[in-house]
Amino acid sequence: MKRPPFIFRYIIVASVLILPPILSAHFGSIHLGRHNGVLLGFCVGIPCVTWACWKLFIDGWREEDDEN
């Protein structure tokens, strides 16, 4: 499977690290209360960080694209 271009890889990783935890904490706070909403945001953030670390370090998304 071909990797996306370098800048798009960082945009994908940044959006996965930022959007799901913040949105889940926001909507969780509305529906579950402030304390449980923040807890939900942390619980959603853990798999997001795990996925981002996997992509950056195991799948090699930090390396520049070779033009050769």
Side-chain angles (χ1 to χ4, degrees):
M1 181 182 207
K2 188 175 178 193
R3 296 186 306 183
F6 184 72
I7 190 69
F8 290 132
R9 291 193 301 251
Y10 276 172
I11 291 171
I12 292 168
V13 168
S15 64
V16 166
L17 286 175
I18 294 170
L19 292 177
I22 289 176
L23 290 176
S24 64
H26 173 71
F27 289 117
S29 294
I30 291 171
H31 295 291
L32 302 173
R34 182 173 40 177
H35 179 74
N36 288 330
V38 172
L39 181 62
L40 178 65
F42 276 109
C43 290
V44 169
I46 290 169
C48 292
V49 169
T50 303
W51 180 85
C53 290
W54 181 274
K55 289 311 233 180
L56 289 173
F57 295 105
I58 303 298
D59 287 347
W61 276 24
R62 293 183 306 150
E63 283 82 28
E64 292 281 341
D65 293 331
D66 293 331
E67 298 297 326
N68 296 338

